[in-house]
Amino acid sequence: MTSKLLEMIDGLQDEVFFFVEDGPIKDKLIDRYLVEDDAHSEILDFDLDASVRITRGEGSAPPAFESRLEADDFEYRTTFFVEDFDTDERAELIDRLRPHCPVPLKKEAGAGRNILRKKKGQGLLNISEASKALGLSHRALKALIPCSEIRVAEEGGDKTIEEYYWQKDLVDRFETLWAGKKEGRGHTSADVTFIAECCCDGDRQWARDTIAGFLKDRGKSTDPC
């Protein structure tokens, strides 16, 4: 299971961010906080948000799992490494990473360079177009919102992702969510269903996490210095 996790992380094109619900990873994060010298057990009475950002190590450095607990004015940050996780925790990480490891579509023949995805289809925005529309950096966009399609090229047996695409309808929905937040409106059940079906494999909780992560990151990009 460790080798599978490392293989998936090695295949990531950039860092990945996600929220975690009650389960092995969140429990581990809470347990680590509680052994700190200045820990306060009262945090267990709060509704804690837990998140993980996975970054690939440079050179021979191992990947890092930058983890965070938050509740109102409380924030705790710590970093884990692969060897810190037990079997159940690694299984949860693998499940969380699967949506960020897209499988190339049908192979098309090419002269020495095979493109494993058809040309950009109708109703798709590339990463520059989508990030501009949503007010996010390329890195934040890829970390927060799973892409709809990818363009993968193969040359000499090596595969590389050349472009990421997001459905225009999906980007439009996130734009609407941000406009609604500025007007004091929250997201609806229809928003969650739409996003779950478009980019979260039908997982409504994952869709809620994606919405929350987007609104939080988008808000930071517009905060005055």
Side-chain angles (χ1 to χ4, degrees):
M1 188 172 289
T2 299
S3 59
K4 174 63 175 177
L5 178 58
L6 289 172
E7 179 183 347
M8 294 176 77
I9 293 172
D10 188 58
L12 297 174
Q13 294 299 301
D14 212 329
E15 63 182 35
V16 167
F17 171 86
F18 51 82
F19 287 94
V20 292
E21 297 301 311
D22 293 343
I25 299 299
K26 187 172 182 179
D27 290 344
K28 186 178 193 70
L29 187 50
I30 291 172
D31 289 344
R32 174 169 284 193
Y33 167 74
L34 290 175
V35 300
E36 297 283 355
D37 292 338
D38 57 349
H40 298 284
S41 60
E42 305 89 78
I43 69 159
L44 298 178
D45 297 329
F46 294 94
D47 185 14
L48 295 166
D49 289 327
S51 60
V52 176
R53 187 180 299 275
I54 303 177
T55 57
R56 294 175 55 186
E58 296 185 4
S60 60
F65 300 77
E66 300 170 2
S67 307
R68 184 169 60 192
L69 276 177
E70 296 177 278
D72 296 328
D73 295 330
F74 169 80
E75 181 179 85
Y76 171 67
R77 296 172 181 260
T78 188
T79 300
F80 295 106
F81 296 95
V82 171
E83 60 269 20
D84 294 323
F85 299 113
D86 62 23
T87 300
D88 290 340
E89 293 156 359
R90 290 171 186 170
E92 182 178 358
L93 288 168
I94 287 172
D95 286 341
R96 285 290 183 174
L97 279 173
R98 282 198 178 99
H100 299 280
C101 300
V103 178
L105 302 184
K106 184 174 68 175
K107 182 175 180 178
E108 296 180 0
R113 187 172 181 81
N114 298 322
I115 302 301
L116 306 183
R117 185 199 168 276
K118 62 180 181 292
K119 293 180 180 179
K120 177 183 173 183
Q122 294 294 323
L124 293 176
L125 301 178
N126 63 27
I127 192 167
S128 295
E129 295 166 334
S131 62
K132 182 178 180 180
L134 296 178
L136 298 173
S137 66
H138 289 196
R139 173 177 293 186
L141 174 60
K142 288 193 292 182
L144 290 169
I145 305 174
C147 65
S148 305
E149 293 191 33
I150 57 173
R151 175 189 173 98
V152 178
E154 180 179 8
E155 186 172 17
D158 294 326
K159 297 176 183 178
T160 57
I161 297 178
E162 292 196 331
E163 186 58 275
Y164 296 82
Y165 300 100
W166 283 260
Q167 292 180 22
K168 187 177 186 305
D169 289 348
L170 177 64
V171 172
D172 290 344
R173 182 62 64 104
F174 277 103
E175 285 187 276
T176 300
L177 287 170
W178 175 243
K181 179 178 175 61
K182 290 192 295 183
E183 296 171 1
R185 292 184 283 108
H187 62 267
T188 66
S189 178
D191 292 324
V192 174
T193 298
F194 180 86
I195 290 170
E197 292 176 352
C198 278
C199 66
C200 299
D201 292 337
D203 188 329
R204 291 176 60 83
Q205 184 55 57
W206 182 13
R208 292 188 189 95
D209 291 344
T210 300
I211 292 170
F214 163 70
L215 293 177
K216 187 172 185 177
D217 231 55
R218 181 71 176 85
K220 289 179 181 178
S221 69
T222 58
D223 284 342
C225 297

